[in-house]
Amino acid sequence: GGKHPLLDSFDCPDTATITPKRASTTTPLQALALMNHSLPLRMADHFAPRLSAEAAPVDDLIQRAFELTSGRPARPSELSASRDVITRHGLAPFCRAILNSNGFLYVH
């Protein structure tokens, strides 16, 4: 066994050894890995067309993205900020941001 290179910064234990307790740390490298590794980039690139196919107006698209990633509707401030990101940078960068949000990354 081995581990995926993306998981190295997330304290993923080596599958070849017994790990009775998993270490838990939070480092800047984790955020950098999620923003720059090819896997999250590919995930965002696949998420964007799915959203486009499932919702037409931008606000509906944003609501669908929040439903899928956070299990809740977007708040008015999130809707406004998301609309701005999509207008300025496009749908894929918005998807990249939402897949790196606390609501998606952490179980509450």
Side-chain angles (χ1 to χ4, degrees):
K3 41 185 181 167
H4 192 281
L6 176 63
L7 300 179
D8 285 341
S9 60
F10 291 93
D11 304 316
C12 184
D14 186 351
T15 57
T17 62
I18 296 173
T19 308
K21 186 176 180 186
R22 182 176 172 189
S24 178
T25 59
T26 303
T27 70
L29 292 176
Q30 294 167 340
L32 290 171
L34 288 172
M35 288 299 293
N36 297 308
H37 191 273
S38 63
L39 178 64
L41 293 174
R42 285 193 318 269
M43 299 290 279
D45 287 343
H46 288 288
F47 191 36
R50 176 183 175 179
L51 289 175
S52 293
E54 292 182 14
V58 173
D59 285 4
D60 290 351
L61 186 145
I62 294 166
Q63 290 294 356
R64 184 69 178 139
F66 273 84
E67 289 169 7
L68 290 170
T69 60
S70 301
R72 63 170 179 80
R75 296 178 183 105
S77 61
E78 293 167 328
L79 193 59
S80 175
S82 298
R83 200 179 305 118
D84 187 48
V85 169
I86 293 169
T87 300
R88 290 176 184 230
H89 304 287
L91 187 55
F94 163 73
C95 290
R96 197 169 156 195
I98 202 164
L99 292 176
N100 280 282
S101 68
N102 283 345
F104 180 71
L105 295 173
Y106 298 100
V107 178
H108 296 277

